[in-house]
Amino acid sequence: MTSRDSHPRDFESNSAESDFHPTTTHHPSYSNQFAQNSRPLIDSARNGWQSRDPGGLQRGSSSVDDMKSPGWSQMALSVASAPRFRRCVIIYVALFISVLIGWRMLSSRLQEEDSLLHSLDPTTKTQKVGSFGANSPPQFDGLIRMHTLDPELVPGDLVGVDSGESSRKRLIIVGDVHGCKEELVQLLEKVSFSRKGGDHLIFVGDMINKGPDSTGVVELARQLSASSVRGNHEDRILLLRQHMVKTKTLATPDDDEESRFDSRELDQRALARSLSDEQAQWLENCPVILNVGQVPGMGQVVVVHAGLVPGVELEKQDPSSVMTMRTIDLDTHVPSPKKKGMNWAKMFDKHQSKLYSSLKTPTEDPLANTMTVVYGHDAATSLSIRTFTKGLDSGCVKGKKLTALVIEDGGKQSIVQVSCHDYLKE
């Protein structure tokens, strides 16, 4: 009886918690069965967390960390395989490469700018002597390092011409001729060259060698009272001629000469013999540097064959480099005839541009303190006209063009060209 009475109380309490209302109560054993089945369902669940002991996780149970590891790896794999993630990675990689390339280009430019800035005297803003080279260049016996053009031949300003105080003057500066006399005559006709009219002819060197009529070019230059600088080809032929005079082979060749020298050397020896003593002496008198003087709108104009090192005074320039340079090493500041490196003309032009900017004042003419260089030698670059450098070698002997830079009163400049035969293929 006691146990029977306890069932209704259990039922009432359990029914209140579980909201379960049985419809029959007449079965004598139902109350025991119901009491057993009426326990909370949570008591019937058997999960891993129930197997933990009070002191911590059991060795054989599943831990939360064990479940996390595969979850994170799966999540990372899912993210990596997402198209948007791949696009972001590609974008960031491309951005990184672009920044890296840009930084390298900027570093090279900064290095170049630093070289240019260090070649200027910070106190006077003028070009420092010897900042790019040795202060005592080697001596060359019998070599005329520099000559200054007669000021009467230099174009003046337009004011003097308009007022009748000075006559019309023009400088006709011609690029590398290389013995192409026919094209030279055509070019002079095209520019209407006239000595009596106030024109003066200047060559940038390499008048001879390679082409068909080197002696004819030299003779024409002499007849026109032209000026020229010494190019690397004049230098080579003149040195060879001096050697042939010393060895007494200038007039009479050695019996074994044809077997000792290749075809190019034989051509050079033949050219050395073809020059008359007067023509050879005229070439010997050509300076390495021709200082034209001040030209309105151009500053100090200088003619050389190959180039000048920026920041070095004309008297300090190395004659060999002036006849052969193409590039300048940014680290050592040493000029080189090789094509790989910083183009000297580009560097010189930037150097003069910075000098011009530093000297610019409202009351003075800053161009008067700058320098413009007219040169040849670099047929690979061909015609290259910048503000402060004018490259005129346009590959005439290779069948390209023969170029003249015409400088008139007031500093007016123009380019005139004629087409050439390709003598190197004939």
Side-chain angles (χ1 to χ4, degrees):
M1 293 295 294
T2 303
S3 62
R4 182 184 290 258
D5 292 337
S6 64
H7 291 300
R9 286 193 297 270
D10 293 337
F11 170 75
E12 291 176 1
S13 62
N14 291 334
S15 62
E17 294 175 2
S18 62
D19 295 333
F20 179 76
H21 301 282
T23 55
T24 59
T25 59
H26 65 277
H27 197 281
S29 61
Y30 178 78
S31 58
N32 292 332
Q33 182 179 4
F34 178 75
Q36 182 179 359
N37 294 334
S38 63
R39 297 174 61 190
L41 293 178
I42 192 62
D43 293 340
S44 300
R46 291 295 182 266
N47 293 325
W49 62 272
Q50 288 184 323
S51 63
R52 298 175 186 167
D53 58 6
L57 295 175
Q58 294 182 0
R59 188 179 295 270
S61 63
S62 299
S63 66
V64 176
D65 291 338
D66 293 338
M67 297 178 66
K68 282 183 178 179
S69 179
W72 279 109
S73 63
Q74 184 177 6
M75 182 181 297
L77 183 61
S78 299
V79 171
S81 61
R84 182 175 296 179
F85 177 80
R86 291 198 299 269
R87 287 196 297 268
C88 290
V89 170
I90 294 175
I91 292 174
Y92 280 115
V93 170
L95 181 61
F96 174 79
I97 294 175
S98 300
V99 171
L100 182 62
I101 295 176
W103 173 249
R104 289 185 176 180
M105 294 176 63
L106 179 61
S107 298
S108 177
R109 186 176 183 86
L110 290 175
Q111 185 181 16
E112 176 187 338
E113 298 288 337
D114 184 69
S115 297
L116 295 175
L117 290 174
H118 278 78
S119 68
L120 295 179
D121 191 314
T123 58
T124 63
K125 296 298 183 181
T126 57
Q127 300 174 34
K128 294 191 292 185
V129 176
S131 59
F132 278 81
N135 289 329
S136 299
Q139 300 298 320
F140 295 84
D141 294 335
L143 186 70
I144 300 177
R145 302 172 64 90
M146 187 168 65
H147 177 71
T148 300
L149 191 66
D150 184 352
E152 293 297 325
L153 301 175
V154 181
D157 53 43
L158 292 174
V159 177
V161 175
D162 295 338
S163 63
E165 295 177 358
S166 63
S167 60
R168 164 187 170 273
K169 297 176 184 177
R170 293 194 308 170
L171 294 177
I172 314 298
I173 308 179
V174 179
D176 300 36
V177 180
H178 279 296
C180 302
K181 181 183 176 181
E182 180 182 341
E183 286 79 2
L184 175 59
V185 171
Q186 293 176 2
L187 181 62
L188 295 178
E189 291 176 351
K190 191 171 184 178
V191 299
S192 301
F193 178 80
S194 172
R195 284 185 60 201
K196 294 181 179 180
D199 294 340
H200 182 66
L201 180 62
I202 301 176
F203 295 94
V204 299
D206 280 7
M207 301 169 59
I208 62 174
N209 206 10
K210 295 184 178 181
D213 193 1
S214 292
T215 56
V217 171
V218 176
E219 193 59 32
L220 179 60
R222 293 180 64 221
Q223 293 173 3
L224 297 177
S225 299
S227 299
S228 180
V229 294
R230 187 174 181 130
N232 61 302
H233 282 271
E234 282 87 9
D235 189 58
R236 183 182 307 163
I237 298 302
L238 290 174
L239 291 176
L240 174 61
R241 195 173 189 275
Q242 293 173 7
H243 176 73
M244 293 170 69
V245 170
K246 291 180 180 180
T247 58
K248 299 180 180 180
T249 58
L250 182 63
T252 305
D254 288 340
D255 294 335
D256 60 345
E257 185 172 293
E258 292 188 2
S259 61
R260 289 170 52 199
F261 302 103
D262 59 26
S263 59
R264 187 186 67 171
E265 292 172 322
L266 290 174
D267 289 342
Q268 293 176 356
R269 295 177 74 86
L271 173 56
R273 291 190 179 98
S274 66
L275 291 170
S276 67
D277 292 340
E278 294 77 15
Q279 292 171 346
Q281 188 58 52
W282 188 88
L283 291 175
E284 290 279 5
N285 292 335
C286 293
V288 176
I289 300 173
L290 178 62
N291 183 9
V292 173
Q294 289 286 331
V295 175
M298 298 182 70
Q300 182 182 8
V301 176
V302 176
V303 179
V304 297
H305 178 59
L308 293 175
V309 178
V312 179
E313 292 181 353
L314 296 179
E315 296 81 2
K316 303 293 184 179
Q317 296 281 343
D318 172 33
S320 179
S321 296
V322 174
M323 292 186 287
T324 60
M325 75 169 66
R326 288 189 177 91
T327 57
I328 294 178
D329 188 284
L330 287 177
D331 294 326
T332 63
H333 299 158
V334 174
S336 170
K338 297 181 180 179
K339 298 178 182 179
K340 184 177 181 181
M342 169 60 67
N343 182 277
W344 80 267
K346 179 181 179 181
M347 190 172 184
F348 191 97
D349 197 79
K350 287 187 177 181
H351 178 272
Q352 293 299 307
S353 296
K354 287 185 174 294
L355 178 63
Y356 172 74
S357 298
S358 67
L359 295 170
K360 190 183 297 184
T361 63
T363 57
E364 298 178 359
D365 179 15
L367 280 175
N369 295 304
T370 62
M371 181 182 293
T372 298
V373 182
V374 186
Y375 66 100
H377 187 61
D378 196 357
T381 304
S382 192
L383 184 66
S384 180
I385 304 298
R386 295 184 172 92
T387 303
F388 297 103
T389 57
K390 319 290 182 180
L392 303 183
D393 186 359
S394 46
C396 177
V397 75
K398 299 179 181 180
K400 297 182 180 179
K401 302 285 186 179
L402 182 62
T403 301
L405 171 66
V406 181
I407 303 175
E408 304 179 38
D409 289 310
K412 181 182 177 181
Q413 305 168 46
S414 58
I415 295 293
V416 181
Q417 294 182 311
V418 295
S419 299
C420 302
H421 299 290
D422 189 349
Y423 295 103
L424 297 185
K425 286 186 177 181
E426 296 179 359

